Amino acid sequence: MMRLCKKFKLYIMLYRFLLFFILISYGCSDEDIVTDNSNNNKEIYSNMDKTIQQRMEQFHIPGIVVGIIDGNKEINYIKAFGYADKFTKRLLKTSDIFRIGSNTKTFTVTALLQLVDEGKLSLDDKLNKFLPDFPNADKVTIKQLCNMTSGIFNYSETEEFANAIISNPTGYLSPDVLINFAKQHPYYFEPGTQYYYSNTNTIIIGKIIEMVTGDKLEGQIKKRFIDKLGLYNTTFPTSKYLWGDHARGYGSFVPGTSDMDVTDLYDVSWAWSAGAMTSNVYDLTSWVKHLATGTLLSAETHQKRFEFVTVSQELDFKYGLGLVSLGGFIGHNGALPGYLSIMVYSPERNATFVILMNIFYSDESGTSPLNLFLELSKMIYNDLPWQNVELNKINKTTAVKKYLE
């Protein structure tokens, strides 16, 4: 879900994007769905299996669920590797629930955009309409909150936030408290002039949704998306616990904790509209297609959503209104203690990638779902922007680091 305060960022950045390979065999779930429609696809599946297994061994990842579906190439690869619980050795199932971190932002911003379609607010509205006491609120638009160009300080990079969650991980942090953490720090830049990924933007959006609707954000997301689309494996938790069959999550903010089970350690109220939700590969496969094709918005608002800010030209990596584009693959990714994820859909290719991991960045893990997506996608397509890019180098650039994992 988050970028961390300077005190902890350095530890994590050093290990996010290393790529090494070694073979190992991991247990797979009986629920694996792999449809072999041609000899060519069988080779692709085999190469995917090997690459995933290599990364799991190299970076000590307990479990990974991968869902890759391409309707044009008849690829249907949904598979679970490794363990949901590495201490009891319970094998991971494709249906298991994960925390999805910043993928939550796609739900939150879509709810806001529906309110735009309903005429209840405008993307051109200024922040002072809703939070008049916020510094320089008359200079920030709702659109700038959505596309990370507001310049508002990221609360999860503050010392106040770090001290709060380390001293009392199960403590409740309200949206107002999180916003107040950010209020005490200067803007990164003049609103609208640059891009900087700040969780505070989406916390404020969640607050605005509640002010406009008179309803809890969780209730709005359930009514507008979960119930309407039948995403019954998706929840917006209001406690630290996960329901149903779920992957245990390993690794906290502190280096050297990749073996630590943090599944129920944190009250993720501090992630709220920016990263508190949970889901599984099946629901995210459905959701990201709706997200990318705009089925839940008017054509006009969906088009505005695709007014992107360029983050990395080499990867054709851009940020829009609560979503990203990677070479035409639309979606988001996320990180929360114990969990990493990415979901993307390409309307042009009719292709979906969803990757879920039950580990967080630490001194013992150096991979990410983003890296794995970039590598696996090259096994299927030969015309990607990152086809000939040396991923080790591109992933260490400042521009990509500013994208919230």
Side-chain angles (χ1 to χ4, degrees):
M1 169 259 172
M2 57 189 308
R3 288 175 59 88
L4 300 173
C5 68
K6 293 177 181 178
K7 185 175 181 180
F8 299 108
K9 284 195 296 183
L10 185 57
Y11 290 114
I12 293 169
M13 285 181 176
L14 292 174
Y15 303 100
R16 284 189 176 182
F17 301 111
L18 302 176
L19 299 173
F20 299 102
F21 303 91
I22 185 170
L23 284 172
I24 190 170
S25 294
Y26 265 73
C28 295
S29 165
D30 290 337
E31 296 183 353
D32 296 343
I33 301 171
V34 179
T35 305
D36 293 321
N37 298 301
S38 68
N39 289 329
N40 183 51
N41 284 351
K42 288 179 181 178
E43 183 178 353
I44 290 173
Y45 296 150
S46 177
N47 289 336
M48 288 179 176
D49 286 349
K50 291 176 182 178
T51 296
I52 294 165
Q53 290 163 349
Q54 288 167 348
R55 287 170 184 268
M56 292 181 72
E57 172 64 9
Q58 182 65 39
F59 300 116
H60 310 285
I61 303 169
I64 300 179
V65 173
V66 176
I68 302 174
I69 301 169
D70 186 311
N72 299 333
K73 294 181 178 291
E74 297 186 297
I75 289 174
N76 190 21
Y77 179 97
I78 305 176
K79 203 164 185 178
F81 298 80
Y83 302 112
D85 187 326
K86 68 179 183 180
F87 296 116
T88 66
K89 304 302 181 186
R90 180 173 79 80
L91 291 180
L92 189 62
K93 298 180 296 183
T94 55
S95 58
D96 279 343
I97 304 294
F98 287 71
R99 297 192 188 277
I100 62 172
S102 282
N103 290 297
T104 302
K105 291 180 172 67
T106 64
F107 289 87
T108 301
V109 176
T110 303
L112 179 98
L113 294 177
Q114 286 193 343
L115 293 174
V116 171
D117 278 339
E118 293 163 14
K120 295 178 180 177
L121 76 164
S122 166
L123 288 172
D124 296 322
D125 284 343
K126 296 294 179 64
L127 178 56
N128 62 353
K129 180 178 179 179
F130 305 97
L131 299 180
D133 295 333
F134 198 92
N136 296 316
D138 60 325
K139 298 181 179 180
V140 178
T141 67
I142 302 304
K143 181 178 180 179
Q144 289 164 355
L145 295 174
C146 294
N147 67 7
M148 302 292 176
T149 62
S150 73
I152 293 174
F153 203 89
N154 187 4
Y155 73 85
S156 56
E157 292 186 64
T158 66
E159 293 290 335
E160 297 91 340
F161 171 75
N163 292 336
I165 62 170
I166 290 173
S167 63
N168 186 16
T170 60
Y172 173 73
L173 292 175
S174 71
D176 288 337
V177 168
L178 301 176
I179 292 170
N180 192 56
F181 286 158
K183 284 173 66 173
Q184 300 175 46
H185 296 267
Y187 280 58
Y188 293 113
F189 46 77
E190 188 72 14
T193 62
Q194 298 181 51
Y195 164 92
Y196 193 93
Y197 196 106
S198 172
N199 291 302
T200 312
N201 289 315
T202 321
I203 297 297
I204 293 173
I205 290 171
K207 181 81 173 174
I208 291 172
I209 291 170
E210 291 194 338
M211 294 172 70
V212 170
T213 63
D215 189 16
K216 292 289 188 182
L217 176 64
E218 308 93 85
Q220 285 291 303
I221 286 178
K222 185 175 187 299
K223 178 176 69 175
R224 291 174 181 272
F225 311 127
I226 294 174
D227 291 345
K228 183 175 181 179
L229 302 177
L231 306 178
Y232 299 125
N233 296 294
T234 301
T235 64
F236 196 128
T238 55
S239 76
K240 67 177 184 176
Y241 299 106
L242 293 177
W243 65 275
D245 291 341
H246 58 271
R248 305 296 296 180
Y250 302 92
S252 74
F253 301 121
V254 182
T257 61
S258 62
D259 282 333
M260 180 179 178
D261 186 334
V262 299
T263 311
D264 307 317
L265 175 61
Y266 296 98
D267 181 328
V268 294
S269 56
W270 49 259
W272 195 50
S273 56
M277 290 181 67
T278 69
S279 191
N280 72 0
V281 67
Y282 299 107
D283 278 10
L284 292 180
T285 295
S286 173
W287 169 251
V288 75
K289 187 171 183 178
H290 284 286
L291 183 72
T293 55
T295 61
L296 300 169
L297 300 172
S298 69
E300 180 184 1
T301 300
H302 182 62
Q303 190 61 39
K304 288 180 180 179
R305 187 165 212 176
F306 278 35
E307 294 175 2
F308 292 103
V309 179
T310 298
V311 180
S312 167
Q313 291 184 342
E314 290 177 276
L315 291 180
D316 189 22
F317 175 18
K318 299 173 286 190
Y319 204 91
L321 304 189
L323 47 69
V324 303
S325 174
L326 278 160
F329 282 91
I330 308 299
H332 215 286
N333 68 346
L336 211 66
Y339 302 91
L340 301 171
S341 55
I342 189 169
M343 59 170 191
V344 290
Y345 174 79
S346 169
E348 180 182 0
R349 301 177 194 272
N350 188 25
T352 306
F353 286 71
V354 177
I355 301 172
L356 306 168
M357 299 180 180
N358 59 342
I359 195 168
F360 187 63
Y361 302 115
S362 76
D363 57 335
E364 297 174 7
S365 72
T367 190
S368 77
L370 172 59
N371 286 94
L372 189 54
F373 159 68
L374 295 175
E375 203 64 35
L376 294 179
S377 62
K378 293 200 298 183
M379 297 179 184
I380 303 174
Y381 313 106
N382 58 12
D383 59 345
L384 298 165
W386 51 90
Q387 204 74 42
N388 299 309
V389 173
E390 194 172 342
L391 297 181
N392 269 345
K393 290 183 178 180
I394 192 66
N395 285 331
K396 293 177 181 177
T397 65
T398 301
V400 175
K401 283 181 180 178
K402 285 186 178 180
Y403 174 51
L404 182 66
E405 285 296 321

